[in-house]
Amino acid sequence: VCDTTGLNGAYTIRITAQDAAGNASVYPLSLSVDNVVSDTSAAITNPAYGMVIANIVEVIGLANDTNFKEYKVEYSSRSDPDSWHPLGNTRTEPVENDRLGSWDTRAAGDGSFNIRLTVTDLAGNTRAAGVPVMVDNSVPAVKITAPLTGNVLSSVVAVQGAVADPNFAQYKVEY
């Protein structure tokens, strides 16, 4: 057993065996020790924290390490935060501020979700990054209550109505 706690870099382990006649054999083994989790980079830059998203969303960010092995992107509903679903396969190429994966949010339904990126190095060290998002694939409900269909109008007309959507942003009246 070798305790590599606190070690980083290139090392050689040597095993020397000697028999009763004094014959000896040495077996060297060169290896790298990586106990530096801070070297692992994981970041999601799109979608942004708290963003309202819809349809197919490109997940953009950073997944890298000096001894990079792989990364995965997953999502979970905030109502079931322990149930993670993969967004594609685990990938084995590092990414520098580029596409990590994509998510067709229409399959997940509307609601609050988390997106998580987990980067793993060859030593098994991991770093995760996540962002909460709101999925909204539902169109706003719109109703005009005045004037009514078929009314004959003149001069200035007050248009009245209602819009319902949990993520309502704006409205525009055109004629």
Side-chain angles (χ1 to χ4, degrees):
V1 174
C2 291
D3 183 3
T4 65
T5 305
L7 300 178
N8 290 292
Y11 290 88
T12 301
I13 297 175
R14 289 180 188 81
I15 297 177
T16 304
Q18 186 172 357
D19 63 17
N23 299 312
S25 177
V26 176
Y27 186 87
L29 175 65
S30 297
L31 51 87
S32 295
V33 177
D34 182 356
N35 285 307
V36 182
V37 176
S38 63
D39 185 37
T40 307
S41 299
I44 297 173
T45 56
N46 185 70
Y49 186 95
M51 190 172 181
V52 178
I53 60 176
N55 301 311
I56 298 174
V57 176
E58 297 294 314
V59 180
I60 307 295
L62 170 70
N64 206 350
D65 185 275
T66 302
N67 296 305
F68 179 84
K69 179 182 179 188
E70 64 190 18
Y71 76 88
K72 62 183 176 180
V73 182
E74 306 165 289
Y75 75 92
S76 75
S77 169
R78 281 192 250 168
S79 64
D80 188 9
D82 295 327
S83 181
W84 291 93
H85 308 280
L87 295 177
N89 297 321
T90 298
R91 294 162 181 92
T92 57
E93 295 293 324
V95 174
E96 293 282 339
N97 299 316
D98 206 348
R99 184 181 178 275
L100 297 164
S102 64
W103 180 21
D104 187 346
T105 63
R106 294 170 294 196
D110 291 357
S112 299
F113 292 87
N114 293 309
I115 301 173
R116 176 174 71 183
L117 164 66
T118 305
V119 179
T120 305
D121 69 14
L122 292 170
N125 299 315
T126 62
R127 177 156 299 202
V131 293
V133 294
M134 176 67 69
V135 172
D136 182 1
N137 286 305
S138 300
V139 297
V142 179
K143 181 179 181 180
I144 296 175
T145 56
L148 299 176
T149 300
N151 284 160
V152 177
L153 309 172
S154 67
S155 191
V156 177
V157 177
V159 177
Q160 298 176 350
V163 177
D165 189 281
N167 298 299
F168 177 74
Q170 64 182 1
Y171 74 92
K172 177 169 59 170
V173 177
E174 297 178 303
Y175 60 94

